[in-house]
Amino acid sequence: MPSRCSGPASRPSSCSLAAPTWFSWLCSGSSTCPWSTWGRSGWESQLLETGFLGIFLCPLWTLSRLPRETPTSRIVLWGFRWLIFRIMLGAGLIKIRGDQCWWDLTCMDFHYETQPVPNPAAYFLHRSPWWVHRFETLSNHFLELVVPFFLFLGRRMCILHGALQILFQVVLILSGNLSFLNWLTIVPSVACFDDATVGFLFPSGPGGLKDQVLKMQKEKARGAQPTLTYGRVVRQMVNLALGALVAWLSVPVVLNLLSPKQVMNSSFNPLRIVNTYGAFGSITRERAEIILQGTASPNASAPDAVWEEYEFKCKPGDLRRRPCLISPYHHRLDWLMWFAAFQTYEQHEWVIHLAGKLLANEADALSLLALNPFAGRAPPRWVRGEHYRYKFSLPGGPHAAAGKWWIRKRLGPYFPPISLRDLKDYFRSREWPYPEPE
């Protein structure tokens, strides 16, 4: 990472990012703080921590593209390196502690098919030879359990660490829809590169940013010392305070990493500045899906009742629909439906809340779906949830030849047929607003 806050824009204010970064961090925190009712995810904690460190990258007052008096602090750079270290090592440790398939090297036999929201590449990667999946699992262990320690082995190994982790994240982006998580993980990896490594990215002509930085470095090599100003002293004190804060908040995080009862994607402080991370501590062997269906029939039990399926924007449903490609965008509802399919609707009451809104044809809820089979007509009288097991079709096989990306088998009901009238007491007991038909 360049030791100065520099960028390609030509306006002198293009690098004064401290105030907007503070504002962005506060906005992110407002939806993930302890008093918020919004659901939390590991990448949201990571976004908060990354954003908090980003505040200290650029000076607060100067508008210069290359501020001479306020170079980026090594404490901030090591804050980012410490972040990527914890992200990768936490992910590696939770795997070997969480699921035997990471020891047997068989997890990748299932991952592409059972990950939250597969993309088109996952359809083909799932059918890779067994030895490819073994190599993928071993590579994952190497990148998450060994490579993080490269950060502490000198400049060249630190640069190699950054390159390997960025390459790893690119591979994950290409093989799945994991929201903006992988894109965000690239950010602290950039802190592994110094000026000499990334200098080729900047203009090298006379008077350019690269030329100015080289002159400043030569002046420093000759022993020239910058003027000790009040602003520089304050900034140094702030950076030291930041380092002390991160070190103090890291104590329970490190203890968690060392614990055989490690937890992932948690925080030990209310502002979630230093957190613990992890991903895919366990791998599901089969893919379960909840399919929501509605009918206009007055009798839900009638043999001639026609049940029509709602389609979500990305999660599997229609067997002929190609897996979506949305990263870095995130369809939160689709992701939550993946979690709910592992358990019962009693453990995920919000699914019934959603069903009630579908019974009322509520526009806000329907905007989260790709297909409403009752669009332009009266809402359904009944809605039910069906439980299915989904599997990728075999490329070149009969199902694929028929245009099917998926094959499925019914497991049974997820929740029984319910009407809007049935839900009145259910909604009232939970103090939910009762939906009125639109």
Side-chain angles (χ1 to χ4, degrees), residues 189-205:
S189 299
V190 177
C192 298
F193 306 118
D194 57 15
D195 290 347
T197 308
V198 299
F200 71 95
L201 298 174
F202 296 90
S204 57

Side-chain angles (χ1 to χ4, degrees), residues 215-236:
K215 290 179 179 178
M216 293 168 65
Q217 291 175 342
K218 290 178 180 178
E219 292 175 3
K220 184 177 180 180
R222 290 196 299 266
Q225 296 296 327
T227 304
L228 192 63
T229 63
Y230 175 76
R232 175 181 284 270
V233 172
V234 170
R235 183 177 177 87
Q236 289 176 348

Side-chain angles (χ1 to χ4, degrees), residues 228-261:
L228 192 63
T229 63
Y230 175 76
R232 175 181 284 270
V233 172
V234 170
R235 183 177 177 87
Q236 289 176 348
M237 296 299 294
V238 169
N239 289 331
L240 288 172
L242 171 66
L245 176 65
V246 171
W248 173 255
L249 295 178
S250 295
V251 172
V253 174
V254 173
L255 293 176
N256 177 70
L257 286 173
L258 299 176
S259 172
K261 297 181 179 181

Side-chain angles (χ1 to χ4, degrees), residues 311 317-322 390 403-408:
E311 282 292 326
D318 183 358
L319 304 180
R320 289 180 168 81
R321 190 174 68 167
R322 175 182 59 81
Y390 270 64
K404 295 180 179 179
W405 292 81
W406 298 94
I407 56 177
R408 74 182 185 183

Side-chain angles (χ1 to χ4, degrees), residues 9-26:
S10 59
R11 295 188 303 273
S13 61
S14 62
C15 202
S16 183
L17 298 176
T21 307
W22 267 109
F23 180 74
S24 299
W25 182 74
L26 290 171

